[in-house]
Amino acid sequence: MIRVLVVDDEALVRTGFEHILSAAGDIEVVAAVAGGQAVAAAGELRPDVVLLDIRMPDVDGLTVLAQLRRLPQPPVVAMLTTFDMDEYVAAALRSGAAGFLLKDTDPVQLPVLVRNLAEGGVVLSGSVTRTVVHGYLDNGPQHAAMRRVEALTDRERAVLILIAEGLSNTAIGARLYLSTGTVKDHVSAVLSKLRVVSRVQAALLAERAGLLKAPDSQEEG
């Protein structure tokens, strides 16, 4: 079972996400709380995935994200937002968020995205394009990104490309005929060599370095 904590200031949103996810046989919503309760709930319930509202009146979502990242066993955190142009998105991704979901994400897709998060995948849902995200994250010019990628081995570069395509560790292992443990080791090496803190940042750097297909041939999410 994938254990999920939903954090949002609106009770209607919390209830909606809880009902949708609980209907999936392999997902358990361990709690649905407002922002002020998030860190305590995560520390006590130890969810695998936290869906965290990026804008809340009682406590800033970025503050909660930073506190969650400091837990002994931090969960995977994806930010929830109403707007695909939210100015907080850049700060959230730089702080280690695994991606973000629009609150109007297709209910059918929501459990799929949560599974991908739990398995280490990159999630950028809704109408968010790589061009928009590039506008938020200044990774420097293309030649600088290419120099950073040159530090990778051929295997690590292959793993990076699959990370950028949004694949989970399990899916990467199946594609490259590697065990999940070996993939995790490669992912750690990739993040370290690229000097980034999250798979999302690694994915964006890979695109900046020209390792991916043109954006119009890529699928979102």
Side-chain angles (χ1 to χ4, degrees):
M1 294 291 288
I2 301 170
R3 296 167 57 81
V4 176
L5 172 65
V6 178
V7 181
D8 195 284
D9 63 307
E10 297 182 27
L12 184 60
V13 173
R14 296 196 302 267
T15 300
F17 271 72
E18 184 172 12
H19 282 315
I20 293 168
L21 293 174
S22 296
D26 59 340
I27 298 175
E28 176 188 4
V29 178
V30 295
V33 300
Q37 303 167 282
V39 178
E44 177 183 354
L45 300 172
R46 297 185 180 181
D48 303 303
V49 175
V50 175
L51 302 181
L52 172 63
D53 189 5
I54 204 167
R55 292 173 179 246
M56 296 180 288
D58 58 341
V59 61
D60 180 70
L62 298 178
T63 299
V64 175
L65 172 61
Q67 294 172 338
L68 291 173
R69 295 280 294 172
R70 289 195 293 267
L71 291 175
Q73 295 180 314
V76 174
V77 182
M79 310 306 291
L80 299 174
T81 179
T82 306
F83 310 103
D84 58 356
M85 295 291 288
D86 196 308
E87 64 266 26
Y88 292 133
V89 167
L93 297 182
R94 290 191 191 102
S95 298
F100 67 96
L101 308 175
L102 297 181
K103 291 185 182 181
D104 61 356
T105 295
D106 184 346
V108 175
Q109 288 298 313
L110 186 58
V112 176
L113 296 173
V114 167
R115 293 183 190 107
N116 196 35
L117 286 165
E119 294 179 0
V122 171
V123 168
L124 299 172
S125 75
S127 59
V128 181
T129 65
R130 286 181 170 82
T131 301
V132 171
V133 180
H134 271 307
Y136 284 121
L137 292 181
D138 180 12
N139 286 322
Q142 183 178 22
H143 62 81
M146 293 174 68
R147 283 200 304 269
R148 291 163 75 175
V149 168
E150 286 174 356
L152 304 180
T153 66
D154 290 343
R155 177 65 78 187
E156 290 165 350
R157 185 174 301 199
V159 169
L160 172 60
I161 291 172
L162 296 179
I163 288 174
E165 291 179 1
L167 272 64
S168 67
N169 290 341
T170 301
I172 292 173
R175 185 77 64 87
L176 299 179
Y177 304 101
L178 300 172
S179 69
T180 301
T182 299
V183 172
K184 288 181 179 179
D185 290 340
H186 283 312
V187 171
S188 295
V190 167
L191 298 184
S192 176
K193 289 183 179 181
L194 296 181
R195 303 190 302 278
V196 296
V197 300
S198 73
R199 296 168 74 108
V200 174
Q201 293 180 16
L204 296 174
L205 193 107
E207 187 178 358
R208 181 67 61 86
L211 298 185
L212 306 182
K213 299 176 183 178
D216 59 2
S217 67
Q218 295 281 337
E219 295 181 359
E220 287 186 12

